[in-house]
Amino acid sequence: MKKIIKRILILIIILIIAAAALWAAAYFHRSDPKNIIQYETTNPFINGTTQISAHRSGSGIMPEETLMAFENCVKNDSFSVDFFEFDLHITKDNVLVLLHDDELDRTSDSETVFGETGVRPENKTYEELRTLNMGAKFVNEAGEMPYADLHGADVPDNLKILSLDAILDYLTAHDDYNYIIEVKNEGDLGKKSVDLLYATLKERDLLDKVIFGCFISEISEYADDTCPGMIRSAYPSEVSEFYFASLFNRSDYEPEFKVLQIPFASAKDSYYVNLGTARVINYAHKHNLAVQYWTVNKEEHMEYLIRLGADCIISDYPDKLYSVRESLDSE
């Protein structure tokens, strides 16, 4: 009996090792760029080059989604970007402001200013939020917090919270950028945010320059129903459906979106599925879908995805990404 149990345990261990080896082979597999197929597409975000997107306006370099960060990308002579990626929340008085988190604690001095934690933007007016220092918690690559001591009247304008209108005024005055804009609110607030965003983009004639995104399926589907001409990216369950369709090379696959914005790099980010392969990109392009990878901060990953033909890379360090792309272009 003991021998049988021992053999069963050995068999189980062998199976676990084999399964782990198969997973590792699939996850860590890197495709040969020669396997990329060039398809004719009508998607405006597929143009044969890997474009650069500043994630949260380049949050690895400057305080995220502040005018200071945008200024650094726009005015810097050492690099340039093609896309700006940022997030929107709605305020108590129905102003769309740039903010990634649902609360203000991580990035600002809101606890000091308002005397409470967990402050949400929808519970404050735009003018109330403008009293905050949105760079208070920023830590640079040297481990320093250069803006932590600025409060009240000492906060410069380029570290105050930004409205959607303010940043579009600034960026459209400087160049013809593309945008990746994510609505973070859910429910009625999310729908109201979509309405305001759509009206703004229509008024500014920017619909063809913007990729709208939301992780909340209800909000994405609301945009499909109410915002004709809005180009959007896939929400999570649509990414899963795409992945399995590509895995089995389904011929009847018909996506409702135009852009795949998908993770790359670590198992944690990629949910244990390797999306950085020639198969994924080929299947996407075959179905007229642009492929954009987030959040890619390691230069070796940037180089791999550029060689593979990713349509866009979204990075906290657009300066590093620009240098990698320039280096490859000069080969």
Side-chain angles (χ1 to χ4, degrees):
M1 186 66 178
K2 288 183 178 179
K3 289 183 178 180
I4 294 175
I5 293 174
K6 185 177 180 180
R7 287 173 182 172
I8 291 173
L9 289 173
I10 291 172
L11 179 60
I12 290 172
I13 291 170
I14 291 172
L15 289 173
I16 290 172
I17 292 172
L22 287 172
W23 174 84
Y27 177 73
F28 293 107
H29 168 72
R30 294 292 181 257
S31 296
D32 188 335
K34 294 178 181 178
N35 293 329
I36 291 294
I37 301 169
Q38 300 301 321
Y39 290 96
E40 290 188 12
T41 76
T42 59
N43 191 311
F45 300 111
I46 302 174
N47 64 8
T49 63
T50 299
Q51 296 192 297
I52 294 170
S53 175
H55 183 244
R56 302 187 201 172
S57 61
S59 62
I61 314 171
M62 295 287 178
E64 65 185 61
E65 303 191 346
T66 63
L67 183 57
M68 182 180 288
F70 287 101
E71 288 172 337
N72 181 59
C73 290
V74 168
K75 297 179 179 180
N76 203 307
D77 293 331
S78 64
F79 72 96
S80 62
V81 304
D82 307 296
F83 279 85
F84 282 101
E85 188 273 348
F86 55 85
D87 311 278
L88 297 177
H89 277 269
I90 194 168
T91 67
K92 186 177 181 179
D93 52 345
N94 296 326
V95 177
L96 292 178
V97 293
L98 276 62
L99 182 71
H100 177 271
D101 298 3
D102 292 335
E103 299 175 350
L104 290 145
D105 298 36
R106 181 181 63 85
T107 51
S108 78
D109 58 349
S110 62
E111 184 176 358
T112 298
V113 173
F114 297 130
E116 56 182 310
T117 60
V119 174
R120 298 176 65 95
E122 63 265 31
N123 294 328
K124 300 291 182 182
T125 67
Y126 176 58
E127 289 305 316
E128 287 175 319
L129 295 176
R130 288 282 289 175
T131 63
L132 299 175
N133 173 6
M134 299 306 298
K137 305 292 180 64
F138 173 71
V139 181
N140 63 24
E141 288 192 90
E144 303 162 335
M145 298 177 67
Y147 315 110
D149 295 330
L150 300 175
H151 304 290
D154 293 330
V155 180
D157 192 64
N158 63 359
L159 281 179
K160 295 181 179 181
I161 203 162
L162 276 171
S163 70
L164 173 65
D165 280 320
I167 195 54
L168 290 180
D169 283 345
Y170 177 77
L171 293 175
T172 55
H174 284 83
D175 210 336
D176 187 28
Y177 295 108
N178 292 316
Y179 306 92
I180 298 168
I181 302 177
E182 182 180 345
V183 164
K184 305 298 286 190
N185 291 104
E186 58 185 357
D188 290 340
L189 288 178
K191 293 175 182 178
K192 184 180 290 186
S193 297
V194 169
D195 292 340
L196 292 170
L197 173 62
Y198 183 65
T200 298
L201 298 180
K202 279 194 69 176
E203 181 182 352
R204 292 173 177 268
D205 196 25
L206 287 175
L207 278 175
D208 63 338
K209 307 294 293 181
V210 173
I211 300 168
F212 164 76
C214 185
F215 275 49
I216 306 162
S217 59
E218 176 191 15
I219 304 304
S220 289
E221 290 166 1
Y222 175 79
D224 288 346
D225 293 338
T226 62
C227 304
M230 182 92 88
I231 301 168
R232 76 164 175 88
S233 60
Y235 52 79
S237 63
E238 289 178 317
V239 173
S240 297
E241 182 184 3
F242 165 86
Y243 178 75
F244 286 106
S246 70
L247 198 62
F248 296 104
N249 197 26
R250 274 178 43 194
S251 59
D252 61 341
Y253 178 68
E254 294 183 5
E256 297 291 330
F257 52 91
K258 292 296 183 184
V259 182
L260 269 172
Q261 290 168 347
I262 49 182
F264 181 81
S266 69
K268 175 179 178 292
D269 290 335
S270 297
Y271 307 105
Y272 303 97
V273 173
N274 182 4
L275 297 172
T277 64
R279 175 178 52 78
V280 165
I281 292 177
N282 285 339
Y283 192 76
H285 286 177
K286 183 179 180 180
H287 289 82
N288 204 35
L289 299 174
V291 185
Q292 303 181 335
Y293 287 96
W294 54 263
T295 303
V296 184
N297 291 334
K298 292 184 178 180
E299 288 161 300
E300 62 183 290
H301 295 163
M302 296 172 184
E303 179 178 345
Y304 168 71
L305 291 172
I306 291 170
R307 291 188 184 279
L308 197 61
D311 298 305
C312 181
I313 295 175
I314 305 165
S315 178
D316 294 325
Y317 299 95
D319 54 342
K320 296 179 183 179
L321 178 55
Y322 180 86
S323 295
V324 171
R325 190 179 69 175
E326 289 295 293
S327 176
L328 293 177
D329 285 345
S330 65
E331 287 184 351

